Amino acid sequence: MKKIILSLSCILLLLRSSAQLTWNPPVRADQSLNHGDVGYNTSSAIVNGNPAMVYYDQGEFRIMFVRALDATGTTWGPAVIIDSVDVFNEKLSLQVVNGNPAVAYYGGTNGNLCYKRASDMNGSTWGTKVTVDASGMTGFYASMKIVNGNPAIAYYDWLNTTLKYVRASDASGTTWNTPLTLDGATVAVGSHCSLSIIAGNPAISYSDDDNFNL
């Protein structure tokens, strides 16, 4: 599949019209970097009242976070480095966890599912990376939600071609329970997964790669 290379990390601002058919011009969100090749696989959330994004910087091989300085995303603060990851991330997942932004992602050469949470409400500084699943070549297409008060992640285990799910044992994601394999004992399933809360319980949509089914 041909990838579209974005030279700038941008966000489109929706005009507050009843029809919602017109849009403001794109705004450059990554103001601190002069090189291109940034803005891959963005994931956005409202962080302490303002829009924020995580994205992959392909030019420097790192995961970045940036937060707007206002509630509508007209101006943006400096980008913050979350982690250096020398393998392209197919998907990042940003959520507000126990008041602070947090991101789930594939950890690169160590082949693990990783999680990192900011030390403050605005995401100015970030805490220590937590390895959630260290089974190797796992953590692709990470999708994170808050499940019954604690962060949880659905993801694809590339090595075993299975769909997996794991939930933290505390509200901040400091420690995590044992991952569960939900599907894929005999076939390759679980890529492109998306975690949601439906009728109070976690639910996951995903791809069956062997049979080309949803």
Side-chain angles (χ1 to χ4, degrees):
M1 181 181 295
K2 184 180 293 183
K3 295 183 180 294
I4 299 175
I5 299 178
L6 301 179
S7 61
L8 299 175
S9 179
C10 296
I11 184 169
L12 296 178
L13 302 180
L14 179 65
L15 283 179
R16 295 181 178 178
S17 63
S18 58
Q20 297 184 346
L21 297 178
T22 56
W23 291 71
N24 284 326
V27 175
R28 178 173 174 175
D30 190 336
Q31 300 285 353
S32 61
L33 299 179
N34 294 320
H35 69 275
D37 215 11
V38 301
Y40 290 88
N41 300 321
T42 62
S43 178
S44 61
I46 301 301
V47 173
N48 196 20
N50 295 352
M53 292 184 287
V54 291
Y55 59 94
Y56 187 61
D57 177 354
Q58 176 74 5
E60 298 293 337
F61 307 109
R62 56 196 185 186
I63 296 170
M64 309 292 293
F65 170 86
V66 64
R67 177 177 174 270
L69 301 177
D70 56 85
T72 57
T74 305
T75 57
W76 291 75
V80 177
I81 300 171
I82 295 177
D83 197 4
S84 295
V85 179
D86 59 358
V87 174
F88 187 83
N89 260 260
E90 294 290 345
K91 185 179 178 183
L92 305 170
S93 188
L94 176 66
Q95 288 287 318
V96 176
V97 177
N98 199 18
N100 296 355
V103 61
Y105 59 100
Y106 174 65
T109 52
N110 58 10
N112 298 326
L113 172 65
C114 296
Y115 166 89
K116 205 167 191 180
R117 178 174 174 268
S119 305
D120 60 90
M121 296 176 64
N122 293 335
S124 301
T125 57
W126 289 72
T128 303
K129 176 170 62 178
V130 177
T131 298
V132 178
D133 186 342
S135 59
M137 297 299 291
T138 190
F140 292 86
Y141 303 105
S143 179
M144 179 166 57
K145 288 289 187 293
I146 304 301
V147 175
N148 195 22
N150 296 355
I153 307 169
Y155 58 101
Y156 181 58
D157 181 339
W158 184 86
L159 184 64
N160 297 297
T161 62
T162 56
L163 173 69
K164 299 179 80 172
Y165 168 86
V166 64
R167 178 175 175 267
S169 53
D170 62 274
S172 296
T174 305
T175 57
W176 292 75
N177 296 308
T178 301
L180 303 175
T181 297
L182 303 185
D183 198 359
T186 57
V187 295
V189 298
S191 65
H192 305 280
C193 54
S194 179
L195 176 63
S196 296
I197 308 300
I198 299 178
N201 293 346
I204 305 168
S205 60
Y206 57 97
S207 173
D208 177 345
D209 297 325
D210 274 1
N211 299 299
F212 304 103
N213 292 328
L214 173 65

